């Protein structure tokens, strides 16, 4: 418990004011509901009552915060963050609530967002430190030894790779696909099961908005320190070895193996030469998830070339300037969203948001190379400033205000879902082209989700992934290899489950668990072989 003080009361004064405004909106909501009681759905009464109870409890937390109670402060932060997401969902998504209530819920969403921002301010958080690990404002983290890897970003990379495995594991059971084709085609889902669940569509949409862009950001994060340590030529040789050699192996061996179940499911001649003929007749050589490696190699090559051509810069002054420029998370992300919109929206308008371009074994989503380049450059920029400085410091505003970043990411995703459900799906079901305004709005929500969700995860891992754990260390060390080899494992497991009478959720869980166990175990074993360990 913190001793109450005039300074604490001054910090909480706007918080209490916002809580009273919220309570007033609740009373207004109940008043209007009572006046229209003969024409409203029961859900309005249920929602209004729950909001009133939560608002009264939030006010109680405010009173306890005035007395210095940390438990009240923590609960108020969670209520503000989660409440904002709930209000945005009611205001944006289809449901039984009338238009006037959606407007009121939008107003309460703004109040809760303001509360979340005020409650996560460093000046207020100082009054409620954790007893075992207080955080002091204004104290910079000491620079770690350059040889010590940062657990936060290792673990975040491992987590994103797990999301990639989960994404591919459940695609076979999403509703979005037509039935398994009777002729062999290279599709995003090589296996399409008859068992489907719409929840996997939501997961696929959620992942697609951000996770590869975040992978490029994390990949760029350590490029500048590596260039400074190795020099441009050695860095490029290492990248060609660690990215180029695996790309050749994955594309040349693992991808034909991965797509054979799709060929077999079409009922074609199972012979090797028949499959080889069908494979070569596709007109291109699919790279599967290895497209990421090829594009990353291009970005690394450009970065190395620019580094070698840059001349003799004063590195310390250059890095210091950038550390200052990224010190404000909200302003930095706002600039990133503007640049991302300029990089993505015109490309999506020209090429379409879902089309892929292929040249031999090299392929990429036509609308996204500039978006991915933007996130790679952001990672390079942040890495030049230092992972322990500025925006990414453990005690920086991004980590301290993780609840509001998580709330912003979820709110952005809810908004995207609202656009898809209310504007895109009705047009798609009618087999009509999307109006330009709808496409533009959809593309802008992709940009918004990409930035908001990416930095929500960065904030979470900067805040909570400070200590190393043996299992997480093993996962992060194996994550690159798991990304390389998981795809044939996933597809063969989906093929094996085609004829088994299980529901889509059970099948998705089995494929994911099997893919994680087999790929993780295989990579851990392969890493015991020194030449392969250098690659993985």
């Amino acid at each position: 418990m913190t001793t109450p003080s005039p300074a604490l009361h001054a910090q909480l004064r706007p918080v209490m004011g916002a809580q009273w405004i919220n309570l007033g909106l609740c009373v207004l909501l109940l008043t209007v509901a009572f006046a229209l009681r003969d024409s409203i759905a029961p859900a309005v009464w249920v929602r209004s009552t729950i909001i009133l109870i939560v608002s009264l409890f939030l006010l109680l937390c405010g009173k306890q915060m005035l007395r210095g109670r940390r438990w009240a402060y923590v609960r108020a932060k969670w209520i503000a963050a989660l409440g904002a997401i709930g209000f945005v969902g009611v205001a944006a998504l289809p449901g039984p609530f009338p238009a006037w209530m959606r407007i009121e819920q939008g107003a309460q969403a703004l109040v809760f967002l303001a509360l979340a921002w005020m409650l996560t301010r460093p000046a207020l958080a100082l009054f409620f430190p954790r007893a075992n690990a207080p955080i002091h404002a204004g104290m910079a983290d000491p620079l770690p030894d350059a040889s010590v890897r940062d657990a936060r970003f290792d673990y975040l990379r491992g987590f994103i790779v797990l999301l990639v495995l989960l994404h591919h594991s459940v695609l076979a059971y999403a509703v979005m696909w037509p039935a398994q084709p009777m002729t062999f085609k290279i599709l995003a889902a090589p296996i399409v099961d008859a068992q489907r669940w719409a929840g996997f569509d939501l997961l696929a949409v959620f992942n697609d908005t951000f996770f590869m862009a975040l992978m490029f950001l994390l990949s760029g994060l350590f490029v500048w320190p590596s260039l400074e340590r190795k020099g441009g030529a050695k860095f490029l040789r290492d990248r060609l070895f660690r990215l180029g050699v695996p790309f050749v192996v994955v594309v040349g061996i693992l991808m034909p193996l991965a797509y054979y179940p799709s060929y077999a499911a079409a009922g074609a001649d199972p012979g090797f030469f028949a499959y080889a003929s069908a494979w070569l007749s596709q007109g291109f050589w699919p790279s599967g998830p290895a497209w990421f490696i090829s594009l990353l190699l291009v970005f690394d090559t450009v970065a190395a070339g620019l580094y070698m051509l840059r001349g003799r810069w004063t590195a310390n002054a250059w890095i210091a300037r950038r550390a200052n420029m990224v010190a404000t998370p909200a302003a930095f992300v706002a600039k990133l969203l503007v640049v991302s919109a300029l990089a993505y929206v015109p490309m999506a308008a020209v090429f379409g948001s879902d089309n892929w371009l292929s040249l031999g074994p090299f392929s990429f989503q036509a609308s996204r190379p500039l978006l991915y380049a933007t996130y790679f450059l952001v990672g390079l920029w942040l890495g030049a400033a230092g992972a322990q400085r500025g925006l990414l410091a453990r005690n920086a505003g991004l980590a301290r205000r993780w609840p509001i970043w998580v709330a912003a990411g979820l709110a952005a995703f809810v908004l995207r879902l609202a656009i898809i459900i209310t504007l895109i799906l009705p047009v798609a079901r009618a087999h009509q082209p999307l109006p330009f305004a709808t496409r533009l709005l959809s593309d802008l929500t992709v940009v918004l989700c990409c930035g908001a969700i990416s930095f929500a995860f960065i904030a979470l891992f900067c805040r909570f992934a400070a200590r190393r754990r043996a299992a997480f260390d093993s996962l992060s060390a194996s994550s690159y290899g798991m990304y390389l080899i998981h795809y044939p494992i996933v597809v063969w497991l989906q093929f094996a489950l085609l004829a088994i009478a299980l529901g889509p959720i059970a099948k998705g869980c089995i494929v994911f668990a099997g893919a994680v166990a087999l790929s993780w175990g295989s990579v851990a074993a392969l890493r015991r072989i020194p030449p392969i360990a250098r690659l993985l």
Side-chain angles (χ1 to χ4, degrees):
M1 184 180 76
T2 302
T3 304
S5 66
L8 174 59
H9 283 228
Q11 291 290 337
L12 287 173
R13 192 172 295 118
V15 174
M16 298 302 298
Q19 289 184 356
W20 282 110
I21 292 173
N22 175 64
L23 187 61
L25 288 172
C26 290
V27 173
L28 177 63
L29 176 62
L30 283 168
T31 302
V32 175
F34 181 78
L36 302 175
R37 58 188 179 276
D38 296 329
S39 59
I40 60 174
V44 174
W45 286 109
V46 174
R47 172 78 181 170
S48 303
T49 304
I50 292 174
I51 293 173
L52 179 63
I53 294 171
V54 171
S55 299
L56 290 172
F57 179 73
L58 189 60
L59 195 60
L60 173 64
C61 289
K63 296 292 186 182
Q64 294 300 315
M65 282 192 292
L66 289 171
R67 300 179 182 178
R69 302 291 200 276
R70 175 175 165 75
W71 67 264
Y73 171 70
V74 173
R75 284 162 177 76
K77 281 199 302 183
W78 277 104
I79 291 172
L82 297 177
I85 298 168
F87 285 123
V88 170
V90 171
L93 294 177
F97 304 109
W100 60 266
M101 185 174 180
R102 293 177 183 275
I103 295 172
E104 188 277 338
Q105 296 288 278
Q108 283 195 278
L110 294 176
V111 174
F112 268 65
L113 284 172
L115 275 172
W117 178 81
M118 289 186 286
L119 288 168
T120 55
R121 286 179 302 131
L124 180 58
L126 284 174
F127 289 98
F128 302 97
R130 290 186 298 163
N132 58 343
I135 297 177
H136 303 284
M139 293 178 60
D141 287 337
L143 289 176
D145 189 304
S147 64
V148 178
R149 293 187 62 89
D150 195 317
R152 300 172 298 166
F153 304 111
D154 280 347
Y155 293 170
L156 178 55
R157 181 186 61 182
F159 173 77
I160 297 300
V161 169
L162 285 181
L163 278 187
V164 172
L165 267 66
L166 177 62
H167 184 82
H168 290 145
S169 296
V170 303
L171 280 183
Y173 314 107
V175 178
M176 67 180 80
W177 312 114
Q180 183 79 38
M182 290 297 100
T183 57
F184 176 52
K185 296 179 181 179
I186 303 297
L187 301 174
I191 297 296
V192 180
D193 201 292
Q195 299 294 323
R196 314 285 187 89
W197 183 50
F200 289 147
D201 294 74
L202 295 180
L203 177 62
V205 171
F206 177 77
N207 285 338
D208 183 63
T209 58
F210 82 97
F211 70 161
M212 297 314 297
L214 182 52
M215 284 275 280
F216 279 107
L217 188 153
L218 293 172
S219 299
L221 197 60
F222 299 102
V223 167
W224 183 262
S226 185
L227 284 168
E228 288 284 278
R229 188 171 65 254
K230 299 177 180 179
K234 188 175 187 305
F235 169 83
L236 188 54
R237 286 197 301 272
D238 288 348
R239 292 288 87 191
L240 285 170
F241 179 71
R242 287 211 69 203
L243 298 178
V245 173
F247 178 79
V248 172
V249 173
V250 170
V251 172
I253 299 175
L254 294 187
M255 285 307 105
L257 180 64
Y259 283 99
Y260 182 81
S262 179
Y263 173 80
D269 182 351
F272 171 79
F273 291 105
Y275 175 53
S277 175
W279 176 270
L280 295 174
S281 69
Q282 298 298 310
F284 70 103
W285 191 290
S287 58
W291 70 266
F292 168 78
I293 303 171
S294 62
L295 196 55
L296 178 59
L297 182 57
V298 171
F299 293 162
D300 282 338
T301 302
V302 172
L306 293 176
Y307 179 85
M308 289 186 283
L309 293 174
R310 83 195 196 289
R312 287 292 182 181
W313 293 345
T314 54
N316 291 337
W318 189 82
I319 291 173
R321 286 198 301 271
R322 278 144 184 79
N324 293 330
M325 290 175 68
V326 299
T328 307
F332 181 77
V333 174
K335 294 175 184 176
L336 171 62
L337 292 177
V338 172
V339 176
S340 299
L342 295 175
Y344 175 73
V345 174
M347 296 286 285
V350 173
F351 297 103
S353 59
D354 298 323
N355 294 326
W356 285 70
L357 295 180
S358 298
L359 179 63
F362 304 102
S363 60
F364 55 87
Q365 201 165 346
S367 60
R368 298 194 179 187
L370 295 182
L371 177 68
Y372 293 148
T374 299
Y375 274 77
F376 178 81
L377 289 174
V378 166
L380 191 150
W381 189 303
L382 292 173
Q388 302 294 341
R389 303 177 182 177
L391 185 75
L392 301 180
R394 286 188 173 90
N395 58 2
L398 183 68
R400 284 199 300 264
R401 294 184 177 178
W402 65 268
I404 197 167
W405 286 101
V406 171
L410 291 175
F413 181 60
V414 168
L415 177 61
R416 171 138 184 83
L417 285 182
I419 298 298
I420 292 173
I421 293 171
T422 61
L423 298 179
I424 296 177
L425 287 182
V427 177
R429 291 192 185 105
H431 302 287
Q432 297 293 324
L434 285 177
F436 174 77
T438 302
R439 285 192 289 119
L440 177 61
L441 190 57
S442 174
D443 293 340
L444 289 175
T445 59
V446 169
V447 171
L448 178 63
C449 282
C450 190
I453 299 175
S454 293
F455 276 86
F457 278 111
I458 292 173
L460 279 172
F461 278 78
C462 283
R463 179 64 182 85
F464 293 106
R467 296 181 181 178
R468 288 200 169 272
R469 299 287 187 271
F472 297 158
D473 284 341
S474 174
L475 173 64
S476 64
S478 302
S479 59
Y480 177 49
M482 292 169 66
Y483 182 88
L484 292 174
I485 73 169
H486 79 277
Y487 201 59
I489 297 173
V490 166
V491 178
W492 277 93
L493 287 173
Q494 291 169 342
F495 181 62
L497 293 175
L498 270 178
I500 297 178
L502 288 174
I505 299 177
K507 287 187 175 183
C509 291
I510 290 172
V511 173
F512 176 60
V516 171
L518 292 173
S519 60
W520 192 348
S522 299
V523 172
L526 289 171
R527 282 173 54 83
R528 294 180 179 274
I529 305 172
I532 297 180
R534 291 181 58 201
L535 284 171
L536 303 181

